[in-house]
Amino acid sequence: MAILLTILKVIGIILLVLLGIILLFIFLVLFTPISYRFSAVHNENETRANVKIGFLIVNAIAGYERGKGLDYCIKALFFKIFPRGGNEEEDLPDEYDALEEYLNEQDSIESAHINENVNGLNADNIENSQDNILDNPDFASEQITESANTIQESDKESLNNVQEADNESVGVSSEPELVSQEIKEKTDIKTKISSSIEKAIDKTQDEFYELADKADKKLDEADKNYNKAMTKLDHILQFLDRDYVQRTINRFLKVLKRLFGTVKPKKSKGYVHLGLNSSADTGMLLGKIAPFYPLYGRWLTVDPDFYNKVLEGDIDVKGRIYLFRFVFPVLGIALTRDFWRTYKLSKKI
């Protein structure tokens, strides 16, 4: 019995330790803030921007600077677990340049060997032909006479062909039977053209009827979709008219307002010197951003320039986000009866 009690005591202690570790992890996640900071500077001399997000022991850092590009990494404590920088990328072009130089050298060597072989073969063929002509002058004269005879024979054949063609053309124009054949051929061509026109007309009519049928089907589908949309809109209006749905929506709006107050930066400052192409454009831009003055008026100073085209600025924003401010209000809404009634009714829409 004592052994059983000790075993149960050990199991209970282990379970309590595990439960304590789980609760400690949950509290760390909920109550440890997610810190963020964004800073940027832009003027004629420099352009840079830095972003830092940290949670527990993990920090994500990213930065951009004109002339150096983008650099980012993820750190756990003081160690980089996902480094990214310019060193690895800068080594690659050297390797690629060395490989290209080696390939170009190999191509030049191969082309030189091929040119040498071709030149050697051409020189050998020319020398052999010259030796044959010098050794056999009678053979060269025989080839010349044979080529001249073949040219004369081809000229005679071409003249005979031209005369025969002229005689045939004269004969065609003189014979009446051939004239009647031409008339028949013309009539056949007219009939073919008329039949092709009739076929084209029939085809266009068929295509028109098909398009009309398709348009009718599309109109029917559009009418059905319109009726479905109207019925769904009616269901949504009836859904929003319920009292418990309105209470749930109001609670969500209050939570969103509170969350916005949590997410917005706690410490921030900024300065913007702004000027567009003309004073009228600058004035119109100021008029467009004026409605948002309550959001940025306390920390951002906008200095308009109505005479010069310029864009300069310096911004530094930082804040903290606590997850418990998200989780607890959402749980408070999810555990209410109105929320579940709203959820069940929304599935029926």
Side-chain angles (χ1 to χ4, degrees):
M1 189 67 183
I3 296 171
L4 182 61
L5 291 174
T6 54
I7 292 170
L8 292 174
K9 185 188 291 185
V10 171
I11 293 171
I13 292 168
I14 292 170
L15 291 175
L16 288 173
V17 171
L18 292 175
L19 182 61
I21 292 170
I22 292 169
L23 291 174
L24 178 63
F25 179 75
I26 291 170
F27 282 117
L28 283 174
V29 172
L30 291 177
F31 293 96
T32 302
I34 300 172
S35 62
Y36 64 90
R37 185 171 185 177
F38 172 75
S39 62
V41 176
H42 175 70
N43 51 41
E44 294 180 355
N45 297 323
E46 62 175 347
T47 300
R48 59 180 176 83
N50 295 312
V51 179
K52 183 179 179 181
I53 300 172
F55 180 66
L56 293 174
I57 61 172
V58 180
N59 292 318
I61 302 169
Y64 173 80
E65 188 172 355
R66 187 195 301 173
K68 294 183 179 180
L70 180 65
D71 187 12
Y72 57 95
C73 67
I74 297 175
K75 291 183 178 181
L77 290 177
F78 302 103
F79 303 100
K80 287 185 179 181
I81 58 175
F82 188 67
R84 282 288 184 272
N87 294 327
E88 295 179 357
E89 296 178 355
E90 289 176 356
D91 294 337
L92 292 175
D94 296 334
E95 295 178 359
Y96 286 124
D97 292 337
L99 181 60
E100 289 179 356
E101 289 178 358
Y102 175 74
L103 293 174
N104 292 325
E105 289 178 357
Q106 294 295 326
D107 292 335
S108 63
I109 292 167
E110 290 179 358
S111 62
H113 286 301
I114 291 167
N115 291 325
E116 288 178 358
N117 293 325
V118 170
N119 292 326
L121 290 172
N122 291 327
D124 293 335
N125 291 326
I126 292 167
E127 289 177 357
N128 291 325
S129 61
Q130 288 177 355
D131 293 335
N132 290 324
I133 292 168
L134 292 172
D135 293 334
N136 297 316
D138 296 332
F139 177 74
S141 62
E142 289 176 359
Q143 288 183 348
I144 293 167
T145 53
E146 286 178 358
S147 62
N149 292 325
T150 53
I151 292 167
Q152 290 177 358
E153 291 177 357
S154 63
D155 292 334
K156 289 179 181 179
E157 290 179 357
S158 63
L159 290 171
N160 292 325
N161 291 325
V162 170
Q163 290 176 358
E164 290 177 357
D166 294 333
N167 293 325
E168 288 178 357
S169 64
V170 173
V172 168
S173 63
S174 62
E175 293 178 357
E177 293 179 356
L178 296 176
V179 172
S180 62
Q181 289 179 359
E182 288 180 356
I183 294 168
K184 288 180 181 180
E185 289 177 355
K186 289 181 180 179
T187 55
D188 292 335
I189 290 168
K190 288 180 180 179
T191 54
K192 288 180 180 179
I193 291 169
S194 61
S195 62
S196 63
I197 291 169
E198 291 176 356
K199 289 179 180 179
I201 292 168
D202 294 334
K203 187 176 180 181
T204 52
Q205 288 179 354
D206 295 334
E207 290 179 353
F208 175 76
Y209 291 141
E210 289 179 358
L211 290 173
D213 293 334
K214 290 180 179 179
D216 191 11
K217 290 179 181 179
K218 293 291 185 182
L219 289 173
D220 293 336
E221 290 179 357
D223 191 13
K224 291 179 181 178
N225 292 326
Y226 174 75
N227 292 327
K228 288 180 181 179
M230 293 303 293
T231 54
K232 187 170 283 189
L233 180 62
D234 189 14
H235 292 164
I236 291 170
L237 292 174
Q238 292 178 3
F239 170 76
L240 295 174
D241 195 26
R242 302 295 175 90
D243 294 334
Y244 56 89
V245 174
Q246 291 180 359
R247 288 195 296 268
T248 304
I249 292 171
N250 290 328
R251 287 170 184 161
F252 266 113
L253 292 175
K254 289 179 181 178
V255 170
L256 289 174
K257 186 177 179 180
R258 188 182 300 173
L259 294 179
F260 178 75
T262 303
V263 172
K264 70 178 183 180
K266 301 301 179 183
K267 294 181 181 180
S268 55
K269 60 180 180 179
Y271 170 78
V272 176
H273 183 204
L274 179 65
L276 299 181
N277 293 324
S278 63
S279 58
D281 294 336
T282 305
M284 290 175 66
L285 180 61
L286 290 175
K288 290 178 180 179
I289 65 175
F292 303 99
Y293 182 79
L295 298 176
Y296 67 85
R298 293 183 179 180
W299 62 275
L300 182 63
T301 302
V302 178
D303 184 13
D305 193 338
F306 294 97
Y307 301 101
N308 299 315
K309 183 179 179 181
V310 64
L311 178 59
E312 297 178 350
D314 185 359
I315 296 174
D316 188 6
V317 178
K318 58 182 177 180
R320 292 181 178 180
I321 302 171
Y322 291 92
L323 293 179
F324 74 90
R325 293 183 178 176
F326 289 86
V327 176
F328 291 156
V330 172
L331 286 176
I333 295 173
L335 295 176
T336 58
R337 185 182 176 186
D338 294 337
F339 172 77
W340 290 107
R341 292 177 68 186
T342 304
Y343 176 71
K344 289 178 181 179
L345 187 61
S346 65
K347 292 175 69 176
K348 296 179 182 179
I349 296 175

